[in-house]
Amino acid sequence: MIRNFITVCLLLCSTVAYSKVILPCGDTTQTADSTQQKDVGDLLHTLFSKKADNSAPDKPKKINLSIVPTLGYTLSTGFAAGLSSVTTFYTQSNHKGQESVINAQAFYDSHSQQTFITQSNIWAFNDQIKFVTDLRATKYPDVTYGLGNASTQLQADNIDFNYIRFYQTILKKVSKNFYAGGGYNLDYHYNITEDGNIDNTVSAFKRYGESSSSRSSGINLTALFDSRTNPVNSLGGFYANAVYRDNFKALGSDAPWTSIQLDLRKYFRLSKNNNNVLAFWSYTWLTLSGKQPYLDLPAVGNDTYNNTGRGYAIDRFRGKNMLYLEGEFRFGVTKNGLLGGVVFANAESYPRSVIANIPKLLPAGGAGIRLKINKHSNTNLGIDYGIGTDNSHGVFVNLGEVF
């Protein structure tokens, strides 16, 4: 979720089992064999311990905490500082089964952007029920560029707003790897102001229906299939998540509208002798009826995990519908797993209608390095450099794999 940051991370505690922000539920949580692997914790131990004890491999703890301070700089945010923490634990008395996760993030930068996010995935009733919560409070000056595929950087429009999100979903295990349920979704933007396009043309925000606040309040119906070997860094398996959302004035929504999001991921391990993986990701976000508030429309980086569109800044493209496809090759650099690399390519489009002709695709691609943060969960710190169209390029940092 840390986008466009040149980042320095200091790992204070490196025993966390899963470090990805928002872990999707799945029936298996297998990880790669960590006996011969090395991570940042091993590096710190080697550098600062006079004598290493290698008599037995490390064992995951029943309760694990990871804290990562982050410093960075970008042209859009200025200097930024933040703190991320992840706590994992078991709810079953025998400390087995599915692991629950609580994540928290807080960031502040010199452009007065303030972000607080807490997300939790908590199992209950012998892992038959999962409570998924996403709570965010932000004061976030942002830049938008209009609607559709044809927007240019000359149409940059500075928008300032406060934002509160509350998503709560309850999932019930139906069968192996399959879950279904529903919940409540709230997106509330207020104190919205804009500067207007830098080329002095009328902004898309004003044409769409400028307002000082917007509220989307409704229910969701969710179906999930997850057979991945590891939700943080999978070596194989399939993931499919479908979310139908219906917003009602009776629940406080400014206007009624419905949408559906379909998230598909497939992983192929290329050899039993290494952890090289070919991964594919498809993300489709369609407006079925009604008119969504401008800031709730599909956009680059506005997916659940804020990871679509490496090669572009968040909100670089926006539209009524979103079609997205990405492929990535992940490979090891060192035999001990400490360093790895990726090459990736993606394409997206924001058509007014998926029935009519689809506009040209917006391509991007790049490469990156991976640093093993935790060998037990196979969690990496990813630092990627992506290049898109219209002279778009930058550094993208993520704790855990992008997908």
Side-chain angles (χ1 to χ4, degrees), residues 84-288:
S84 297
S85 68
V86 182
T87 304
T88 66
F89 57 93
Y90 294 100
T91 55
Q92 292 196 48
S93 58
N94 60 1
H95 300 287
K96 294 183 179 180
Q98 301 285 358
E99 236 175 345
S100 297
V101 184
I102 298 176
N103 307 270
Q105 293 182 316
F107 295 99
Y108 182 84
D109 62 52
S110 58
H111 289 185
S112 299
Q113 294 180 343
Q114 304 168 34
T115 301
F116 174 76
I117 302 173
T118 177
Q119 298 154 322
S120 62
N121 291 254
I122 299 177
W123 292 93
F125 305 107
N126 293 320
D127 294 344
Q128 295 298 305
I129 301 291
K130 189 175 189 182
F131 298 90
V132 181
T133 306
D134 185 352
L135 176 63
R136 308 184 187 191
T138 66
K139 184 180 184 302
Y140 200 75
D142 196 8
V143 181
T144 67
Y145 299 84
L147 301 177
N149 291 15
S151 63
T152 69
Q153 297 196 38
L154 293 176
Q155 297 169 309
D157 179 15
N158 293 316
I159 295 182
D160 195 355
F161 56 85
N162 293 70
Y163 173 50
I164 293 176
R165 170 188 286 190
F166 175 68
Y167 291 0
Q168 179 66 66
T169 301
I170 301 175
L171 297 172
K172 173 70 171 65
K173 184 175 182 179
V174 178
S175 61
K176 183 179 180 181
N177 299 327
F178 181 67
Y179 305 80
Y184 173 75
N185 288 28
L186 170 67
D187 293 282
Y188 177 43
H189 295 84
Y190 61 101
N191 294 337
I192 304 174
T193 60
E194 68 157 342
D195 293 342
N197 291 357
I198 61 174
D199 63 358
N200 294 322
T201 59
V202 178
S203 69
F205 179 57
K206 189 177 293 292
R207 294 196 305 269
Y208 192 81
E210 182 179 15
S211 64
S212 61
S213 67
S214 67
R215 183 185 290 107
S216 297
S217 177
I219 62 172
N220 76 75
L221 300 176
T222 301
L224 171 68
F225 180 88
D226 191 352
S227 64
R228 293 173 297 175
T229 59
N230 181 341
V232 177
N233 185 2
S234 184
L235 299 179
F238 179 69
Y239 173 90
N241 189 35
V243 179
Y244 170 79
R245 178 173 176 175
D246 200 345
N247 300 270
F248 304 94
K249 283 190 174 182
L251 293 178
S253 187
D254 290 340
W257 58 270
T258 60
S259 68
I260 189 168
Q261 298 176 32
L262 182 60
D263 187 338
L264 304 175
R265 311 179 187 193
K266 179 63 179 176
Y267 306 85
F268 299 92
R269 188 174 184 179
L270 301 182
S271 173
K272 295 182 179 179
N273 300 322
N274 56 55
N275 290 338
N276 295 348
V277 170
L278 190 60
F280 296 97
W281 180 22
S282 169
Y283 191 82
T284 303
W285 186 351
L286 305 178
T287 300
L288 302 180

Side-chain angles (χ1 to χ4, degrees), residues 20 45 59 66 69 76-77 84 106-107 159 176 190 201 221 247 252 265 267 322 326 330 356 383 387 390 392:
K20 178 70 172 177
H45 185 80
K59 294 181 179 180
S66 179
S76 61
T77 66
S84 297
F107 295 99
I159 295 182
K176 183 179 180 181
Y190 61 101
T201 59
L221 300 176
N247 300 270
R265 311 179 187 193
Y267 306 85
M322 177 182 182
E326 182 162 358
R330 305 169 184 171
I383 304 175
I387 302 174
D390 196 23
S392 179

Side-chain angles (χ1 to χ4, degrees), residues 325-339:
L325 181 64
E326 182 162 358
E328 181 173 87
F329 174 53
R330 305 169 184 171
F331 55 92
V333 174
T334 60
K335 291 184 179 181
N336 62 10
L338 180 63
L339 292 176

